[in-house]
Amino acid sequence: MKEQNYKIIFDVFGVLMSSGFKSAATDLSERLDIPADRIKKYYEKWEPDFDLGKIDSQEFWHNVLDDLNISYPDWQSLDNIVLNNYSLKQDTYNLCEKLSKITDVYLLSNTRQEWFELLNDKFHITKYVKKAFLSYEIGYLKPDPACFNYVIEQIGCPANELILIDDTLINVESARSLGIHGIQFINAAQAESELKALI
């Protein structure tokens, strides 16, 4: 480590884990017999409410299905399709473990409680982190600057001592606007290479 003790913030989905809809798109399309792009439109429409804890799994799927104008009573099977398609990005998980031995590591994720708790039980996502900042708990969503300001305040260090690793450019840009160092994640090797230039 260099003289400055940077703290690392990992996004979860798309960085430590696969992205939910992207992973499950084909299976959802086959199950509902609807093009994946059409499902995605309404899936993404209702994600913010789900991620903020305003609706639960059942309400989420009922809203999506209503917008798709289809009747499909077995919403639990749709839940399972998405959950069963998630996978751990082992290289990033290994990087998280390695970094946790030399500095504080955090998570910051737009995520829904029911799914995150199940995935964490299965994949131990939070095993190497000091604290996870989860949208349904903190009441903020990325890329809202208020989300990053909340994290800065909670960690209790200057923004320029934080490094965000996130696959979504708008999130990285929002963090950078507040003084946080941002790395747009492509893969673990690229992220580690960019980290080494800083730490």
Side-chain angles (χ1 to χ4, degrees):
M1 298 283 289
K2 293 181 180 177
E3 183 177 344
Q4 190 167 12
N5 184 29
Y6 289 106
K7 302 177 191 305
I8 317 297
I9 305 169
F10 281 90
D11 176 34
V12 176
F13 301 102
V15 177
L16 278 173
M17 300 279 301
S18 63
S19 298
F21 183 82
K22 185 177 180 181
S23 302
T26 299
D27 287 349
L28 285 173
S29 179
E30 289 177 356
R31 177 65 60 90
L32 296 175
D33 195 25
I34 292 176
D37 285 349
R38 186 159 175 250
I39 301 170
K40 181 181 180 183
K41 175 182 177 181
Y42 299 114
Y43 185 103
E44 292 182 346
K45 172 185 172 182
W46 291 105
E47 277 189 305
D49 282 351
F50 201 3
D51 288 344
L52 288 171
K54 295 179 179 179
I55 57 175
D56 60 17
S57 293
Q58 183 174 2
E59 291 172 295
F60 172 75
W61 287 115
H62 283 175
N63 291 343
V64 172
L65 294 168
D66 282 347
D67 282 350
L68 288 168
N69 198 29
I70 62 171
S71 176
Y72 191 84
D74 187 16
W75 65 269
Q76 292 98 330
S77 71
L78 303 179
D79 231 34
N80 290 332
I81 285 172
V82 178
L83 288 166
N84 290 334
N85 271 284
Y86 276 111
S87 60
L88 188 70
K89 290 181 177 285
Q90 191 64 52
D91 288 349
T92 314
Y93 192 71
N94 293 344
L95 176 61
C96 183
E97 179 185 8
K98 181 162 65 173
L99 289 167
S100 72
K101 295 175 181 177
I102 57 174
T103 191
D104 292 336
V105 175
Y106 299 86
L107 301 182
L108 176 58
S109 180
N110 293 350
T111 187
R112 55 236 47 172
Q113 181 173 4
E114 294 156 276
W115 293 8
F116 187 85
E117 290 177 351
L118 287 168
L119 292 171
N120 195 33
D121 285 345
K122 182 176 180 180
F123 294 107
H124 311 293
I125 306 166
T126 59
K127 182 175 181 179
Y128 300 110
V129 306
K130 184 170 183 179
K131 183 174 177 60
F133 297 101
L134 309 171
S135 58
Y136 65 85
E137 291 182 335
I138 68 176
Y140 298 109
L141 292 171
K142 297 178 290 182
D144 185 351
C147 180
F148 296 107
N149 277 325
Y150 177 89
V151 171
I152 293 167
E153 181 181 339
Q154 291 296 308
I155 293 176
C157 72
N160 64 6
E161 292 181 9
L162 301 174
I163 303 172
L164 173 72
I165 302 174
D166 197 303
D167 62 314
T168 304
L169 180 58
I170 192 172
N171 294 340
V172 173
E173 291 176 338
S174 180
R176 286 174 177 164
S177 75
L178 299 172
I180 298 171
H181 297 277
I183 294 173
Q184 186 179 11
F185 180 88
I186 299 171
N187 56 55
Q190 160 264 336
E192 184 170 17
S193 177
E194 292 192 37
L195 274 172
K196 285 179 179 177
L198 288 170
I199 66 175

